[in-house]
Amino acid sequence: SGGTVQFVLINNQFMKKWDERYKQWLICIQNVFSYQLPRMGKDYITRLVFDPRHLTLALIKNGYRAIGGINFRPFITQGFSEIVFCAVSSDEQVKGYGTRMMNHLKDYHLSQGIFYFLTYADSYAIGYFKKLGFSKYVTLPKERYQGFIKEYDGATLMECRLDPRLSYN
Ligand code: 1VU
């Protein structure tokens, strides 16, 4: 293996002239999400990946290949982001990319003055989120997120509180 990876934040909100390369990357990442998170349903994933209110942090290998990503929705007035989908393609898992991707997202949020992540984690992903600093103990007051984030049956709400004194990379 080997090779270099970079992180690209893709947001289709302000792109009047849609960058064809970004579109191809989003399609690849949407396929990774569909394959890795089959219970979410492909149509639902497609809708949220291309929703202008959602952003995708793309994990790009060797300058051209999208091998994973994190889709999230910032709620700036509420002071948190919802982590919606997070996945790395099968052949690139357990190489540390999932960790680096989340750390990159944390530093981006510190730069934006957002200090909380919330996610509905599948039971098999709870361990991964715990390693990355997420907890089932949610400290954010309910009125800050209730009605803003979508509940998923059988999933566990988890929170990650970012420390503004830290750098995660
Ligand atoms: O640091 P350690 O070595 O102790 O632990 C690693 C790694 O061993 C562990 N880990 C796993 N543990 C249990 N089951 C797994 N499937 C699993 N995969 C990894 O987690 C620590 C971090 O490893 P990493 O930095 O190498 O992470 P990856 O690059 O492998 O990426 C992790 C994810 C979870 C993104 C990847 O395995 C993946 O795409 N899995 C399938 C999709 C998934 O479950 N996504 C999260 C679902 S919840 C969601 O998206 C809604 C919010």
Side-chain angles (χ1 to χ4, degrees):
S1 65
T4 58
V5 292
Q6 70 192 108
F7 300 96
V8 180
L9 191 62
I10 305 180
N11 159 351
N12 71 16
Q13 199 169 7
F14 303 112
M15 291 178 186
K16 289 212 173 64
K17 187 168 172 292
W18 180 258
D19 185 324
E20 191 57 33
R21 196 179 36 154
Y22 282 12
K23 186 173 162 187
Q24 292 309 323
W25 283 343
L26 275 192
I27 291 168
C28 284
I29 292 166
Q30 168 219 298
N31 287 329
V32 174
F33 289 155
S34 301
Y35 191 80
Q36 298 294 332
L37 303 164
R39 287 189 303 154
M40 293 289 186
K42 191 165 177 156
D43 291 346
Y44 180 65
I45 289 171
T46 303
R47 187 150 48 81
L48 295 191
V49 167
F50 288 93
D51 186 314
R53 296 165 300 188
H54 287 237
L55 289 89
T56 299
L57 181 69
L59 174 61
I60 309 298
K61 193 163 189 182
N62 295 330
Y64 68 94
R65 197 165 80 91
I67 60 168
I70 301 177
N71 181 268
F72 64 100
R73 179 173 172 183
F75 291 94
I76 294 158
T77 57
Q78 307 309 109
F80 75 90
S81 268
E82 176 185 3
I83 307 298
V84 181
F85 308 120
C86 168
V88 171
S89 73
S90 311
D91 55 328
E92 301 287 356
Q93 287 180 12
V94 207
K95 295 180 184 177
Y97 294 143
T99 302
R100 286 176 61 189
M101 205 162 62
M102 191 63 78
N103 285 338
H104 192 91
L105 196 68
K106 288 178 180 176
D107 282 343
Y108 167 76
H109 277 78
L110 290 183
S111 78
Q112 301 295 303
I114 296 179
F115 303 115
Y116 290 89
F117 288 162
L118 289 178
T119 193
Y120 272 100
D122 278 327
S123 52
Y124 57 87
I126 289 175
Y128 164 75
F129 282 115
K130 273 191 177 157
K131 275 178 189 151
L132 290 167
F134 287 72
S135 163
K136 293 181 193 178
Y137 181 66
V138 175
T139 63
L140 200 66
K142 225 173 187 168
E143 55 273 20
R144 286 265 291 274
Y145 63 85
Q146 209 166 34
F148 288 89
I149 88 168
K150 191 178 170 319
E151 285 179 41
Y152 292 92
D153 286 345
T156 304
L157 183 63
M158 295 184 84
E159 174 191 274
C160 180
R161 185 175 175 179
L162 305 181
D163 186 337
R165 295 165 303 181
L166 294 183
S167 168
Y168 291 94
N169 270 305

